[in-house]
Amino acid sequence: MPQQLSSPSELATLVENYDTFLFDCDGVLWNGDAVIDGVIDVLRLLRSKEKSVIFVTNNATKSRKDYKGKFDKLGVQADVEEIFGSAYAAAVYISTVLKLPQGSKVYVIGMAGLEYELAQEGIISIGGTATEDNTLESFHLDTFEKDPNVKAVLCGLDTSVNYTKLSKAFQYLRNGEEECKFLATNVDSTYPVKGGLLPGAGSLSAVLSRALGREPLSIGKPGRTMLDCIRAKHDFNPARTIMVGDRLDTDIAFGKNGGVATLLVMTGVTSEKTLAEASSHALPDFVIDSLGDLRVLV
Amino acid sequence: MPQQLSSPSELATLVENYDTFLFDCDGVLWNGDAVIDGVIDVLRLLRSKEKSVIFVTNNATKSRKDYKGKFDKLGVQADVEEIFGSAYAAAVYISTVLKLPQGSKVYVIGMAGLEYELAQEGIISIGGTATEDNTLESFHLDTFEKDPNVKAVLCGLDTSVNYTKLSKAFQYLRNGEEECKFLATNVDSTYPVKGGLLPGAGSLSAVLSRALGREPLSIGKPGRTMLDCIRAKHDFNPARTIMVGDRLDTDIAFGKNGGVATLLVMTGVTSEKTLAEASSHALPDFVIDSLGDLRVLV
């Protein structure tokens, strides 16, 4: 069972034991457009103690720069270098791990933030926000010519998804991984918005998974790729690192897959009931009601 | 192992042993726009012997009337009453089995043929080809008002699929089957078109399956619902009925699920290799190279 922390001495020990704090954002720092009470003070406290503070989000519709805009708007201090989104991690993965041949292209189901991060890493992308692929007209396979330079399809959340993009992505992927890699920024089944949930990146890539009979390599939480990406930029000692999140299946699993400690906050999607019913391998090391609870240490 | 039929006496026995012939269309009667050699003569022969001839297709983009247009164009005789598509079967299922309360509506991901069949059965549909839902603009959940009369979501192939339709369907289905039924015209993962395959109805409904964590009730082959629909209109003796198709996982499985005999033709998607590697429970009773082979009996 996870250790529930509430007394000031327990909270102080938690802060002493770790040097690097990885934070999920939505449900941990804020809910929608409302910062969770005390969070700004707590982040300031951690910085004053020279802790490394890193923000890890599966949101792939925004570049890190866009995402920093959200921090700024809500008055939460963050540097772009402290923000790791699955769009950025996907771009880093493609440029440093896949190392596609010179002139290769990536076919994108996704939005401007994802295209921006790819471009920043020097990756040529097609699809995405291109006018010709943002259409509800019929797709004609018999007149479609595949671009022979497309060596990967990258699927993220795309609120302009349509049959043309899905059909093109499917054509690129049909002949198998040798010819074209199947990547997803993340496989979250849903996506939190004002008023509830909408289908997430993992639900959109499910079209391709079903049609192809195979699953994508997912870059974001809970996979290892995102953590490898963070570590390439900010070296940290896993034994002195803790992942803080509100979701067992993404955040806590991410920390556990990466061999770091895990702290669940109850300000997001996980209810007491979900926690009580979770299987033991899914449980975090520690639980606190809210990240704001650490404010007692200020 | 299935019995391979080739001699005239074997073929004559096959025709004698059955009164009702259920035919898949694409890959059996024609490939794309080319009628398979001999098929027109064979259908004429069966009719001359007073056999019942029924055409069964999972294509839900066309109404039966539209589909008859394809028969006419290719010179293959068919009455609308002999044609069963999954759009029609879905409409019959909703009107006769689901029996939704008066004033209920069905939210549709699908095309004009599906809407037409629903309307013919007196079912009110929304979504589908409605202008407001055929958009690539962002979907705003906070200003979306659910229509309280929507009691089912029906997902078919929709080449104008987009995030607004997917998001609305997801909202209707989120509170479970008690509030809103999740139906699919069929769950074919791909869809044959000129030049190859595109993502099918089952790949589109996979967005909702993934987001919801549950699968739809599928009306078309290989499920039982389509056969129940046929039987409600044309009574037949299962012991004297045979399903003829080119796909093991839809056509042959459909016949086996329905307790009728099964005949595989090798003019469609199934290769000798696929047949040789298939597990015994997936195998048909009989195999012929082509439906046109029965022409020797003319």
Side-chain angles (χ1 to χ4, degrees), chain B residues 195-210:
Chain B
L197 295 173
L198 292 176
S203 293
L204 299 187
S205 65
V207 175
L208 300 171
S209 305
R210 189 73 65 102

Side-chain angles (χ1 to χ4, degrees), chain A residues 11-271:
Chain A
L11 297 171
T13 304
L14 181 83
V15 171
E16 275 160 32
N17 283 346
Y18 301 99
D19 299 325
T20 301
F21 289 74
L22 307 173
F23 291 105
D24 175 46
C25 302
D26 205 72
V28 177
L29 307 183
W30 55 67
N31 274 307
D33 283 336
V35 179
I36 290 167
D37 207 33
V39 158
I40 290 174
D41 293 340
V42 169
L43 291 176
R44 199 175 290 136
L45 171 78
L46 293 174
R47 290 180 189 283
S48 74
K49 291 180 177 290
E50 302 195 340
K51 307 292 186 182
S52 284
V53 172
I54 292 168
F55 306 101
V56 189
T57 172
N58 270 359
N59 186 323
T61 64
K62 293 187 170 72
S63 67
R64 288 160 300 160
K65 225 167 103 182
D66 296 336
Y67 213 65
K68 174 159 163 47
K70 169 124 193 179
F71 282 83
D72 293 345
K73 196 177 84 177
L74 298 181
V76 181
Q77 189 197 335
D79 291 339
V80 169
E81 286 66 33
E82 292 170 338
I83 301 174
F84 286 79
S86 64
Y88 173 63
V92 170
Y93 175 80
I94 293 169
S95 66
T96 62
V97 182
L98 276 193
K99 292 186 181 134
L100 300 174
Q102 189 76 21
S104 294
K105 297 177 187 172
V106 174
Y107 188 82
V108 168
I109 294 179
M111 301 174 75
L114 182 54
E115 292 174 319
Y116 177 85
E117 294 290 11
L118 291 170
Q120 289 291 102
E121 290 289 316
I123 298 159
I124 308 166
S125 69
I126 62 170
T129 61
T131 310
E132 67 182 77
D133 286 5
N134 284 273
T135 174
L136 291 177
E137 295 299 311
S138 293
F139 174 73
H140 297 287
L141 182 58
D142 52 342
T143 55
F144 170 61
E145 284 184 30
K146 289 209 279 187
D147 183 330
N149 292 315
V150 171
K151 301 297 182 200
V153 166
L154 173 59
C155 184
L157 184 66
D158 184 343
T159 61
S160 297
V161 68
N162 60 65
Y163 199 69
T164 291
K165 284 190 206 180
L166 293 167
S167 296
K168 287 188 178 183
F170 176 60
Q171 297 312 313
Y172 285 118
L173 293 168
R174 272 201 70 193
N175 296 336
E177 285 291 297
E178 281 298 301
E179 183 173 306
C180 186
K181 305 288 177 195
F182 183 18
L183 308 175
T185 58
N186 65 88
V187 287
D188 296 5
S189 61
T190 58
Y191 170 71
V193 294
K194 200 172 165 190
L197 296 173
L198 291 177
S203 294
L204 299 188
S205 64
V207 175
L208 300 172
S209 306
R210 189 73 65 103
L212 295 162
R214 69 182 200 270
E215 295 292 327
L217 171 74
S218 174
I219 304 294
K221 297 177 284 183
R224 276 290 312 226
T225 310
M226 183 91 118
L227 202 69
D228 293 341
C229 174
I230 296 170
R231 205 158 175 193
K233 303 281 169 173
H234 296 265
D235 198 24
F236 56 76
N237 173 2
R240 303 254 328 149
T241 299
I242 189 164
M243 172 70 202
V244 186
D246 71 319
R247 279 184 179 262
L248 295 174
D249 58 354
T250 47
D251 303 320
I252 301 307
F254 174 69
K256 293 171 91 89
N257 289 339
V260 304
T262 52
L263 170 63
L264 182 76
V265 296
M266 304 303 287
T267 43
V269 300
T270 304
S271 64

Side-chain angles (χ1 to χ4, degrees), chain B residues 33-47:
Chain B
D33 284 336
V35 179
I36 290 168
D37 206 32
V39 157
I40 290 175
D41 292 340
V42 168
L43 291 176
R44 199 175 289 136
L45 171 78
L46 293 173
R47 289 181 191 282

